[in-house]
Amino acid sequence: MKAARADKRIAVDERLIVALDVESAEKAGETVKELEGLITAFKVGLQLYTAAGPDLVRELVEAGKKVFLDLKFHDIPNTVARAAVEAAKCGVWMFNVHASGGREMMKRTVGDVTEFCLSNGADRPHIIAVTVLTSFNDADADETGVRGNVSGQVERLARLASSCGLDGVVASAVELEMIRSAVSDPHFRIVTPGIRFKDETNDDQKRVMTPGAALAAGSDHLVIGRPILGAADKRAAAAKIVDELKRHL
Ligand code: C5P
């Protein structure tokens, strides 16, 4: 296997992001507690945010956690930029927008969030673009009117996001090499969900890779949900992944 590209500017504890895909603040709190001292970065997505809202995000931030707010904003430029500034006010470490929301939406978001953070002395969150959902294959993409295949669309959207000043993209590990050659910025962050060990079910993910292989192929951050949340011993499952990551860094 190839050596990891391993951007040294990214701390080891930012590499594994555990997706808190649970139904309540209470359940999220239990998971965070179970992973205390092992995991620092957590993803709050649509389910948990809809159930528990920004209070939970602020609590996690105050507890020293790095929060990836995965709400995949996709709306007109003004609406997305305003929502993004609210995310920055909550102190999130990373959030995302759909690259298919277009150039104006992404540029306006980067501009407004940067301005807010500069005038408030806050760290600017990493702004990441969703390219094509990892639950999509070519047939799904075709059905929604995407020209060509998934990989071409991922490349097109990654280039667009980079040219709008975004910090990186969410993409399948299968597309890592192609994105690295399409985007010249060596620090462009690639966040990869769809991570599975070989002996596991893929659930609804159709473009998957193992943790070590994803890192070796150039992933910066792995987002992992069900392989940890669904394990009888969540801490042991997360520790197994952390060990595999450390071996590849
Ligand atoms: O449970 P699993 O490991 O498949 O979780 C992956 C997480 O990453 C989910 O929270 C999902 O919403 C998210 N995600 C994804 N594909 C994307 C962007 C985010 O699977 N393109």
Side-chain angles (χ1 to χ4, degrees):
M1 188 176 287
K2 267 192 312 185
R5 170 191 148 273
D7 185 337
K8 299 289 180 209
R9 303 188 317 170
I10 301 176
V12 177
D13 73 343
E14 294 180 3
R15 296 276 182 181
L16 172 58
I17 305 171
V18 173
L20 291 173
D21 292 334
V22 293
E23 77 234 24
S24 65
E26 198 189 349
K27 286 222 162 121
E30 284 166 17
T31 303
V32 171
K33 202 166 156 206
E34 203 172 331
L35 301 175
E36 189 63 52
L38 181 66
I39 302 295
T40 316
F42 292 93
K43 184 174 86 70
V44 174
L46 290 168
Q47 181 188 13
L48 183 58
Y49 190 83
T50 304
D55 285 348
L56 173 77
V57 173
R58 284 187 279 262
E59 272 169 36
L60 289 168
V61 171
E62 275 159 27
K65 308 304 175 202
K66 290 177 177 161
V67 177
F68 170 18
L69 188 65
D70 177 26
L71 298 182
K72 302 185 180 68
F73 296 137
H74 192 176
D75 209 313
I76 58 172
N78 184 60
T79 303
V80 171
R82 287 182 180 209
V85 169
E86 294 307 319
K89 282 185 197 166
C90 287
V92 305
W93 158 72
M94 178 182 280
F95 71 88
N96 56 6
V97 305
H98 268 283
S100 51
R103 182 179 297 282
E104 191 190 335
M105 181 266 258
M106 287 193 276
K107 287 188 88 163
R108 173 91 183 267
T109 299
V110 172
D112 286 9
V113 171
T114 304
E115 192 183 313
F116 168 81
C117 292
L118 280 176
S119 44
N120 288 277
D123 288 337
R124 173 158 94 50
H126 302 300
I127 308 176
I128 303 294
V130 177
T131 53
V132 178
L133 297 174
T134 42
S135 56
F136 259 47
N137 60 19
D138 287 345
D140 298 310
D142 182 73
E143 205 171 22
T144 59
V146 168
R147 280 184 276 141
N149 54 19
V150 166
S151 141
Q153 179 71 349
V154 170
E155 181 173 359
R156 186 177 302 122
L157 292 176
R159 279 187 210 273
L160 177 64
S162 175
S163 77
C164 293
L166 269 78
D167 301 302
V169 285
V170 182
S172 151
V174 176
E175 281 116 29
L176 283 161
E177 237 177 274
M178 179 266 290
I179 295 172
R180 288 279 170 229
S181 37
V183 175
S184 55
D185 174 5
H187 301 299
F188 196 64
R189 290 179 188 235
I190 307 186
V191 181
T192 51
I195 302 295
R196 292 293 183 272
F197 280 108
K198 280 210 163 56
D199 51 355
E200 282 172 349
T201 156
N202 288 353
D203 300 304
D204 54 353
Q205 301 284 18
K206 293 180 185 154
R207 302 182 344 263
V208 300
M209 213 180 251
T210 65
L215 210 65
S219 170
D220 295 304
H221 306 275
L222 308 185
V223 175
I224 306 188
R226 286 164 290 184
I228 294 173
L229 301 184
D233 183 343
K234 297 186 186 61
R235 195 174 175 89
K240 182 179 167 195
I241 297 167
V242 170
D243 284 349
E244 181 164 337
L245 296 187
K246 283 187 177 154
R247 275 202 303 277
H248 285 85
L249 282 171

